[in-house]
Amino acid sequence: MAAARITVMNNGSLRVEGDFEIVDFEGRPFGLSGRAKVSLCRCGQSTNKPFCDSTHKTCGFESVVVAFDLPAPKSAP
C-alpha cells in the first residue's frame, strides 16, 4: 500500500489520506495542523484553494471519474 492515497470523489474533491505533504510552487509546505486527511478543490470555486470548502455542491460542478490505466510513457529518442 502506498504511503498516501488520493480518491477522486464523484462531483467533488480529491481526498488525500495518509502520509503526505502539500507544498506550493516554490516548495513551501502548507501547515496542515497534523491532519492525515484533507480534500483538495477540483471545481475551482473554493474560497480556500487549494483546499475544498464544499462549493462544488452549489456551483453546478459535475465530474464522474472511473479509474483507467494510463499508457506507458514514450521513451526518449
Side-chain angles (χ1 to χ4, degrees):
M1 171 95 170
R5 180 182 182 103
I6 301 172
T7 305
V8 181
M9 305 300 291
N10 286 339
N11 303 318
S13 63
L14 297 172
R15 181 179 296 150
V16 184
E17 301 173 86
D19 184 19
F20 60 89
E21 179 180 44
I22 300 175
V23 299
D24 69 10
F25 73 100
E26 292 183 349
R28 294 179 299 227
F30 285 87
L32 302 177
S33 298
R35 288 175 177 83
K37 177 170 59 171
V38 298
S39 292
L40 300 176
C41 177
R42 274 199 312 144
C43 75
Q45 303 301 310
S46 174
T47 58
N48 197 29
K49 289 185 211 65
F51 304 101
C52 176
D53 67 1
S54 296
T55 300
H56 59 271
K57 294 177 181 178
T58 59
C59 75
F61 180 73
E62 293 183 13
S63 176
V64 175
V65 179
V66 177
F68 59 90
D69 294 332
L70 290 174
K74 295 180 181 178
S75 58

